[in-house]
Amino acid sequence: MTFHAGVGSEQGSGGDAPLNNRVHHVRAGELDGHAAISGGTTGSKNLWMGMVVNPPSSSTDNHHHGDSEAGIYVVSGHPVFVYHDGTQEVRLAAGPGDFFLVPPFVPHREENPDPSEPAVVVIARTTQEPIKVPVPKLYRLEVTDTQGTGPTGGPGLS
């Protein structure tokens, strides 16, 4: 095994995109905004991964991540993930070490009800760049139609 020093997000010659024939190491503090792994940081083709800090007493807007799946790992804090099951809002309280899967097109929001502690999560999505589509309200995602053209049942979806 060979060990190499230095940053793992080296660019190709002449400032080209990151090389795609090697393992990339993105060190803490080298994130590009929230993104650690993306097309821009490592040349990833299908995966986006990053860290998000939700401040105390905060909430995101209602949104979904398009046709991307999102995996979430809670690093610290106690976030609450909210979605609609077709009858009512469902609130899933989380703590450090918990994981969540948000399927494609499922409207949800993240909340941090704690008045003093931020909630830190690591998010992985099956697209190279982050997708966040705002929706006016939470609604149940209906079954995909038989033509394979996408989900049905929500506002603005066909």
Side-chain angles (χ1 to χ4, degrees):
M1 178 178 290
T2 305
F3 291 93
H4 298 278
V7 293
S9 54
E10 297 170 11
Q11 301 287 314
S13 63
D16 297 338
L19 299 173
N20 245 359
N21 63 350
R22 58 193 281 294
V23 173
H24 293 268
H25 179 190
V26 179
R27 299 179 190 278
E30 289 184 345
L31 275 65
D32 179 12
H34 297 293
I37 298 171
S38 70
T41 61
T42 64
S44 173
K45 300 290 184 199
N46 299 307
L47 178 67
W48 183 95
M49 192 170 185
M51 183 167 44
V52 175
V53 177
N54 293 311
S57 301
S58 68
S59 177
T60 67
D61 61 342
N62 298 324
H63 64 278
H64 65 75
H65 300 290
D67 62 359
S68 175
E69 290 183 310
I72 302 165
Y73 173 73
V74 179
V75 176
S76 63
H78 293 88
V80 176
F81 294 86
V82 184
Y83 73 100
H84 202 283
D85 70 0
T87 304
Q88 63 185 357
E89 283 189 0
V90 176
R91 301 175 64 78
L92 302 173
D98 289 351
F99 287 87
F100 289 91
L101 170 68
V102 180
F105 296 102
V106 172
H108 62 283
R109 74 174 169 265
E110 299 92 36
E111 299 177 354
N112 180 10
D114 192 294
S116 58
E117 181 182 12
V120 179
V121 298
V122 171
I123 300 174
R125 294 192 197 112
T126 55
T127 57
Q128 92 174 15
E129 299 299 331
I131 298 170
K132 185 177 177 190
V133 180
V135 294
K137 63 179 186 171
L138 296 180
Y139 53 86
R140 180 184 175 106
L141 181 68
E142 299 297 328
V143 179
T144 302
D145 67 20
T146 58
Q147 300 299 315
T149 58
T152 59
L157 299 176
S158 57

